[in-house]
Amino acid sequence: YGIDPALWESFILGNGDPDQAGVLVSVTGIRFILKDPYLYSYSIYNPVTYKDVVIRLRAANVGTINENKVSLTCRKTGNTWYEYSVTNGGLWSLYYYNGRYIEIGSGATTALKTGQNINEYEMTCLGNEISLRVNGRAVRSVRDDNLIDGRVGFNISSLRFFPVEIEVKQFEVAEP
């Protein structure tokens, strides 16, 4: 997908100052710079609604702070969606968001490369099963019947420490 801003919905959630979130586009990717704690910078691809979908994101931690989250979202309809979030320490959570984050699964993975590395994240929403893979390794599948279809996207989040700098190198969507 291109980076035409008309195709994307961008918004900030969290308790941080939204004016402290920035995005830079370069030939190597889209860099998210979060200069305040607890900023969740969302990018949602608008043109297509998917029922069953596979989302892949390749991202690099290019900053000096090693506390962040990379998340994938599917089935966003209005103010609801599913979101798999992975901290750069390897902890993951699956949320059902409906104006607040409701955790429907959590755990840890050793598949994540910590520090200043590139990681590949994959979320599959197939029927009522939502699955996560990190760097090609299956992490977890969770069943939930709340959402049937919607738009897809991702989010980059700062946690307690900042600034966070994550460069998204690739985002792709496929229908299984």
Side-chain angles (χ1 to χ4, degrees):
Y1 291 108
I3 54 173
D4 180 351
L7 301 178
W8 292 85
E9 172 190 2
S10 298
F11 58 92
I12 304 288
L13 293 178
N15 296 326
D17 179 358
D19 291 334
Q20 297 301 309
V23 177
L24 297 172
V25 178
S26 73
V27 295
T28 59
I30 302 169
R31 186 173 294 199
F32 290 79
I33 303 167
L34 307 174
K35 297 180 181 179
D36 210 23
Y38 302 106
L39 286 171
Y40 315 143
S41 181
Y42 283 84
S43 297
I44 304 297
Y45 186 67
N46 276 331
V48 182
T49 296
Y50 299 93
K51 181 176 180 183
D52 293 333
V53 67
V54 179
I55 311 155
R56 293 181 189 93
L57 179 85
R58 193 166 165 258
N61 181 5
V62 294
T64 57
I65 299 298
N66 289 317
E67 186 179 275
N68 58 67
K69 279 186 185 180
V70 173
S71 304
L72 295 171
T73 62
C74 73
R75 298 187 177 162
K76 182 183 185 307
T77 304
N79 202 31
T80 61
W81 61 81
Y82 291 119
E83 177 175 329
Y84 256 121
S85 291
V86 182
T87 69
N88 83 314
L91 300 177
W92 63 266
S93 294
L94 174 62
Y95 299 101
Y96 166 69
Y97 184 86
N98 67 354
R100 63 186 177 100
Y101 295 92
I102 300 167
E103 188 176 84
I104 57 178
S106 65
T109 179
T110 58
L112 191 86
K113 300 174 201 165
T114 61
Q116 292 182 319
N117 273 301
I118 296 174
N119 284 287
E120 296 180 8
Y121 308 85
E122 179 180 291
M123 179 182 198
T124 302
C125 297
L126 185 60
N128 69 349
E129 190 169 333
I130 305 110
S131 302
L132 173 67
R133 296 177 70 81
V134 175
N135 293 320
R137 288 180 41 198
V139 174
R140 181 72 187 271
S141 291
V142 175
R143 293 186 185 278
D144 190 86
D145 293 314
N146 280 301
L147 302 172
I148 296 170
D149 62 11
R151 294 176 292 140
V152 299
F154 62 92
N155 117 36
I156 306 299
S157 299
S158 62
L159 301 174
R160 292 175 299 167
F161 302 107
F162 58 93
V164 165
E165 292 187 52
I166 301 289
E167 187 168 274
V168 173
K169 304 227 174 251
Q170 182 179 14
F171 178 75
E172 64 180 46
V173 180
E175 292 181 283

